[in-house]
Structure formats: structure tokens, C-alpha cells
Amino acid sequence: MEKTASKIIVIGGSAGAYELIVEILDHLPTEFSVAIIIVLHRNSKYETKIETSLSKRLNRNVISVRDKLPILENHIYFAPPGYHTLVEPDCIFSLDISDPVQFSRPSIDVFFESAAAVYGKNATAFLLSGANNDGSEGLKALVNNGSTCFVQKPEEAVINTMPLAGSLVSEKVKVISNQHIIDYFSQLM
Amino acid sequence: MAELKDSNELSFAEVEEIVFLLKNVSDFDLSGYTRSSLKRRIQRIMNLEDMDMVDLKNALINVEGFQQYFIQEVTVNVTEMFRDPGFYNKLNKDIIPYLQTFPRIKIWSAGCSTGEEVYSLAILLKENNLSDRAFIYGTDINSKVLDVAKKGIYPIKKFKEYSDNFNAYNSTESLSNYYTARYDAAIINHDLRQNILFSTHNLATDQVFNEFHLITCRNVLIYFDLKLQEHVINLFYQSLALFGFLCLGTKETLMRHDIMENFKLIDKEYNIYQKIK
Ligand SMILES: C[S@@+](CC[C@H](N)C(=O)[O-])C[C@H]1O[C@@H](n2cnc3c(N)ncnc32)[C@H](O)[C@@H]1O
């Protein structure tokens, strides 16, 4: 029986984040009790087949979020391009097609804010490489709701704008190296 | 660094208070709407209007016209002509030939917002010489977007994207054959507007009003919880002629609903279903 995840890890990334995300997924243990939810900026007109190719290669549950999917343990979810992804209080996803926020849909801010409201201290967030400020507002909401927040060490990011902005949100946001990020995920339980 | 606390951050409990209040003082029932989206939209209205919870409740009860305004702003009306070009391709290739066999074709675009979807369907019908035999009903809960739909006049700057969509759907023609540009406006051609009726209809509370061969309800169910979805899909089922088609948005599905057994899946990517019993 697949169980609803009581803890989630959320990852936001944009330009330059994809390679690290793949590396993270490559290092995951066979089973883990959280759900991993990834919001990566990508163009909706060229819907990439990231999920299907990763799902095949890694032989695990890598899923593109659809309307009202439950958030399950040991699953990896990607926010689909062209929609905002939100988390509902009963721990299922919902989608929203309202205007892009800071030119982004999915918006990392929108997703992080809703994850913060529902999961609070049971959420852990990572903000990775990117060329804009998306995610900072979301980190603020996560910090305020007791979530643990990390940003990729800006010096190691392909493009440092996003993690740099994120690191300035609060002292509670921890800066973390690529190696430590990968270690974190490889030690997931 | 100071800890930045958003003092007016709305809680889910406060969202419930607003839903409950609105249900009691108006005809609008948002009980079945997804809470995270409602929370965001209500928060947005409060920020726009510089209101706190007390102000908002007061306005919903006492300010003339505010309930209507609230519904307009709480719903998401973003739309495009030929959104998901592949969907219109599929309609054109596989569904239209089937519909052609009916003497009259009745279409319902439910949650049509400002009408772009309706005019896209009208273009599809025209291309297939079906305009005279077809009738399209465009409905929405929000009367303000329907006013825009009825006028058929849009900001020309939106037509760059609409043309890209159209070209992705059909590269041999140009969308400009279907509208007239005047200053910064695009005016939909008059011959496209024959046999179209726009009218308010609330999917959560209103009834069946006609029988249809094709129903499109795209990017509306994402705002409804599974229970309200069930209700609305039942309404569609009852409104469809036997062997009529139901088209949902690309991320929406009938699969999680029992009523699926009365439908046949026609297209998995674009979520097109046919009523088979
Ligand atoms: C995002 S738009 C979708 C427009 C178009 N179908 C498309 O896919 O581009 C959603 C529409 O659903 C409408 N809507 C929301 N709740 C409704 C209800 N209870 N009954 C009818 N329409 C509703 C909104 O007013 C809005 O115009």
C-alpha cells in the first residue's frame, strides 16, 4: 500500500539546476519515506520528457504532477510546465493556470508558499541555480512556517542569482555545497 | 537581517470562514473549490483592496456589488486562443469527422472565460464548412468575462501568442483571416460569431440546459475538489448525447471517477472521452 507522505522535500531550480538535480536523483537510496517535489523552470511550448526519461533510467516513480494526485512516500514529482503547482491541506496536489509570477509558470514562490502552509516544519527546501529571483518569497514563507531551508552555495551554482537572493532572506536559510546536497539525499531514510 | 513576517498571511481557517460567509449571504458556493488556490486568490484581493479579514467580511455583507467583484477576482480567467494546439489538431482530425455525421452539432464550452476557446472552436467549424449546422454555447460563472466574450474584441498584443498557437495547429493558414486589426485591438470577424451564445451558468449549482454532441471544459476542474468534480462530470454526462464527446484540460482526468465506465477514452494526452452508455 502506498502511503501519503507526511514529510516532503521541495527543490526549486532554474537555469543551470538540471544537472545537479539529475545527480541528486542518481544518488538516492532505493527507498525513502518522504516525497520529493521538484519545480524546475522550463518552457511549456516544448514540454520536455524529463519525467519519462528519468523514470525509465532510474527505474522509479518519477511523475509529472497532474490534477489532484496524492503526494506519496518514495515518489519523485515534477511540476508540469504551463501551470502553477500547489499543495492542498489534505496532502494532494492541485494545479492552477493563473498568470505567471515573475515570468514563471510554474513559479517556485507559489509552490513553496503553499508547501509551507500545509507542511510547515515537515518540509525541507532546496533552492538551486537560476538567473532570476524566483523562490526567495517562497523561502521566506517556509522559514516563517518552521521549514528547514537550504540554498546551493552561490559560488558553486552555474548561475548564482537565485541561490544568492535566497540566502539573503533569513539567517535561518543555510548555504550548502553541492557535495553536501548530494550527501544529504544519499542518506535519506 | 530582520525576520520578515507576513502579518496578513491568511490561514486555511480564515479561508473557511469566507467560504461559509459567502455561502450564507449570496448565491455563490465555493465549498468545492481547492483551498490552496482560494487562499492565494483571496489573499490577492485583500492585498489589492488593502483589506483585512474584518474589512473583507464587511464588504461581502454590506457593499453593493462586492460579492460579484469577489467572484470575478477569486476565479482564474486566464485563457488563450488555440491553447494546446495539439488538442485542436486532434479535434480536427478525429472528432470533427465524427461530428459531421450529425445533422446538427451542438457544442458547449463550459467555463469559457473571455471566449477565446469558443472562437477557436468556431474557426475549426468554419474550416470544415460546418458553421451553418453548428451551435456553440459558451458559459461561465463570471458575467464580466462573458461581456468581453460577447464583444469579441481583444488586445492585439495577445495575438502574437495566439498566432503562434494557431500556426502550431495549422501552418497553412493565418489567424489574421479571422479578425480585423484596428489600432491596438483585434476584432473577431462577424461571420464567426453566428450561432454562438454566451450566457452565465454555474457548474456547481445550475442544471442541465440542453443536449450536446461536444462539451469542452478545460482548465476549470483543476479548481474543484474531487467531490465537486464528480458533480460537474455527472452534469456533463447528463448533458451529452449518446456517443457525444467530453474534452478536459491536459492535466485533468476522468480516470479517478466511477462514471468513467460510461465513457471510452479517445485520447490520453488531451483527455478526450466519448459517452458510450
Ligand atoms: C482558467 S479559465 C479556463 C478558460 C478556458 N476553458 C481555457 O482552458 O483556456 C477557468 C474559467 O472557469 C470559470 N469558472 C470557475 N468556477 C466556475 C463555475 N462554478 N461555473 C462555471 N464556470 C466557472 C472561471 O470564471 C474561468 O473563466
Side-chain angles (χ1 to χ4, degrees):
Chain A
M1 192 47 211
E2 297 188 306
K3 271 172 57 192
T4 302
S6 54
K7 291 191 168 151
I8 57 173
I9 299 178
V10 301
I11 304 177
S14 188
Y18 181 64
E19 288 71 16
L20 182 57
I21 288 171
V22 171
E23 224 182 315
I24 288 171
L25 299 185
D26 273 334
H27 284 83
L28 284 172
T30 344
E31 282 205 29
F32 47 88
S33 62
V34 297
I36 298 176
I37 308 162
I38 302 163
V39 180
L40 180 69
H41 292 159
R42 48 187 165 150
N43 192 326
S44 64
K45 304 275 149 164
Y46 310 95
E47 180 144 6
T48 45
K49 296 287 169 229
I50 294 182
E51 296 86 340
T52 17
S53 69
L54 280 176
S55 166
K56 267 205 207 108
R57 189 168 66 77
L58 300 172
N59 193 21
R60 6 168 123 253
N61 301 311
V62 184
I63 289 169
S64 182
V65 173
R66 277 165 283 125
D67 178 47
K68 311 286 154 14
L69 277 191
I71 302 174
L72 299 175
E73 290 185 350
N74 198 30
H75 281 59
I76 300 157
Y77 300 92
F78 277 88
Y83 292 80
H84 294 301
T85 292
L86 299 165
V87 175
E88 292 299 315
D90 47 354
C91 299
I92 62 179
F93 289 109
S94 68
L95 295 171
D96 163 36
I97 199 150
S98 60
D99 286 320
V101 176
Q102 295 195 55
F103 306 104
S104 304
R105 197 177 59 195
S107 151
I108 300 170
D109 282 335
V110 168
F111 171 68
F112 278 8
E113 279 166 10
S114 86
V118 171
Y119 276 94
K121 61 180 182 8
N122 291 317
T124 303
F126 290 83
L127 188 63
L128 311 179
S129 170
N132 56 35
N133 286 343
D134 194 13
S136 294
E137 287 297 315
L139 280 185
K140 214 178 282 176
L142 285 159
V143 166
N144 286 339
N145 283 280
S147 318
T148 308
C149 296
F150 299 101
V151 296
Q152 181 182 14
K153 197 172 176 185
E155 296 81 10
E156 289 188 38
V158 179
I159 301 176
N160 66 11
T161 318
M162 213 154 90
L164 201 58
S167 70
L168 298 175
V169 162
S170 152
E171 275 144 11
K172 290 187 182 150
V173 174
K174 287 166 245 170
V175 175
I176 176 173
S177 71
N178 289 0
Q179 191 51 54
H180 278 111
I181 294 176
I182 291 163
D183 291 347
Y184 179 93
F185 282 91
S186 62
Q187 285 155 24
L188 275 185
M189 309 264 263
Chain B
M1 278 183 292
E3 206 68 350
L4 295 147
K5 180 87 190 154
D6 294 320
S7 54
N8 60 348
E9 166 86 34
L10 203 62
S11 69
F12 284 116
E14 287 169 325
V15 172
E16 294 314 316
E17 286 175 36
I18 298 297
V19 171
F20 183 75
L21 176 72
L22 193 68
K23 192 174 163 175
N24 283 313
V25 300
S26 79
D27 295 332
F28 297 116
D29 184 358
L30 298 177
S31 314
Y33 283 61
T34 53
R35 292 306 191 257
S36 288
S37 175
L38 272 188
K39 177 168 174 290
R40 230 189 120 218
R41 301 297 289 180
I42 296 173
Q43 181 90 65
R44 182 177 150 273
I45 294 171
M46 291 167 76
N47 292 347
L48 279 175
E49 300 296 313
D50 197 15
M51 287 178 160
D52 60 17
M53 274 292 281
V54 177
D55 300 333
L56 178 60
K57 285 183 179 174
N58 180 48
L60 283 170
I61 298 169
N62 297 316
V63 178
E64 166 107 36
F66 190 83
Q67 292 170 0
Q68 188 66 38
Y69 165 81
F70 180 82
I71 286 297
Q72 278 158 19
E73 294 300 322
V74 105
T75 53
V76 171
N77 308 116
V78 175
T79 186
E80 291 169 25
M81 277 184 97
F82 289 90
R83 171 184 270 170
D84 305 318
F87 164 68
Y88 287 93
N89 250 323
K90 187 79 192 167
L91 272 189
N92 198 32
K93 275 214 323 272
D94 296 343
I95 311 298
I96 293 279
Y98 196 100
L99 292 178
Q100 246 160 359
T101 63
F102 293 111
R104 287 192 53 71
I105 307 163
K106 281 191 283 183
I107 301 177
W108 178 16
S109 165
C112 69
S113 191
T114 40
E116 281 88 334
E117 183 177 281
V118 171
Y119 292 121
S120 306
L121 291 167
I123 290 174
L124 216 70
L125 292 169
K126 190 166 172 64
E127 285 180 336
N128 287 282
N129 292 316
L130 292 172
S131 305
D132 294 338
R133 280 207 273 142
F135 202 99
I136 312 177
Y137 290 83
T139 64
D140 204 280
I141 190 178
N142 178 343
S143 58
K144 201 169 140 204
V145 290
L146 291 173
D147 289 340
V148 177
K150 285 174 199 162
K151 289 205 180 78
I153 304 176
Y154 303 101
I156 194 93
K157 61 174 196 294
K158 290 191 167 179
F159 273 64
K160 166 81 182 74
E161 188 183 18
Y162 296 178
S163 291
D164 289 349
N165 286 350
F166 185 70
N167 294 337
Y169 148 74
N170 173 359
S171 51
T172 60
E173 270 199 74
S174 161
L175 186 60
S176 61
N177 295 342
Y178 297 101
Y179 67 87
T180 314
R182 186 155 308 157
Y183 304 106
D184 50 4
I187 307 166
I188 299 291
N189 287 355
H190 264 279
D191 61 340
L192 269 191
R193 308 184 195 201
Q194 292 160 10
N195 299 337
I196 291 180
L197 186 75
F198 290 106
S199 149
T200 54
H201 180 275
N202 185 339
L203 290 167
T205 50
D206 290 337
Q207 307 297 317
V208 173
F209 62 95
N210 212 321
E211 191 184 58
F212 297 97
H213 305 102
L214 173 68
I215 298 177
T216 64
C217 183
R218 314 190 70 227
N219 302 304
V220 181
L221 296 183
I222 46 176
Y223 297 104
F224 298 167
D225 65 20
L226 289 170
K227 189 160 152 254
L228 180 56
Q229 285 188 3
E230 186 91 42
H231 170 82
V232 173
I233 290 167
N234 252 304
L235 182 74
F236 291 152
Y237 175 73
Q238 289 164 24
S239 306
L240 272 178
L242 188 63
F243 304 122
F245 298 91
L246 173 62
C247 308
L248 305 181
T250 50
K251 302 296 169 198
E252 298 159 338
T253 179
L254 274 194
M255 294 301 185
R256 275 193 295 280
H257 299 279
D258 295 338
I259 202 153
M260 180 59 209
E261 65 182 40
N262 296 325
F263 286 92
K264 180 179 157 196
L265 177 64
I266 302 292
D267 188 89
K268 192 160 173 274
E269 188 176 1
Y270 295 108
N271 298 303
I272 302 175
Y273 305 86
Q274 184 174 33
K275 174 171 169 174
I276 51 164
K277 59 181 174 191

